[in-house]
Amino acid sequence: MADASELGFDQILARLREVVGRLESGELTLEQSLAVYEEGVGLARKGQQLLASAEKRVEILVSAAGGVEVAPFDERET
């Protein structure tokens, strides 16, 4: 397994799905469950960092493209 810092967002998401599957299987010992959970937390944090970075990049690009107002996404408006 590669270090989370070396993974892209899609790879992190796929690995998180694997982690959830393993935890939900009920086949792990307590120690194994804790280790897998810890890995999942690290992956989730890295994924959140990547998303925040992408959001900042988009804001910069939109701002540079003409000063379009940036508003928070509200999925209820879709």
Side-chain angles (χ1 to χ4, degrees), residues 7 16 20 40 51 56 59 63:
L7 299 177
L16 276 171
V20 169
L51 285 176
K56 292 291 182 195
E59 288 177 7
S63 173

Side-chain angles (χ1 to χ4, degrees), residues 55-67:
E55 181 179 18
K56 292 291 182 195
R57 290 173 62 192
V58 169
E59 288 177 7
I60 290 168
L61 291 170
V62 168
S63 173

Side-chain angles (χ1 to χ4, degrees), residues 37-65:
Y37 180 80
E38 186 176 0
E39 177 188 359
V41 169
L43 289 165
R45 286 182 180 148
K46 179 60 180 174
Q48 183 61 38
Q49 290 172 348
L50 290 173
L51 285 176
S53 176
E55 181 179 18
K56 292 291 182 195
R57 290 173 62 192
V58 169
E59 288 177 7
I60 290 168
L61 291 170
V62 168
S63 173

Side-chain angles (χ1 to χ4, degrees), residues 1 3 5 7 12-13 16-18 20 22-23 31 35 38-39 44 46-47 61-62 64 67 70 74 77:
M1 172 67 211
D3 183 18
S5 65
L7 299 177
I12 288 173
L13 194 55
L16 276 171
R17 288 185 179 124
E18 292 173 14
V20 169
R22 289 187 68 198
L23 289 171
E31 271 61 10
E38 186 176 0
E39 177 188 359
K46 179 60 180 174
L61 291 170
V62 168
V70 178
D74 185 354
E77 295 177 4

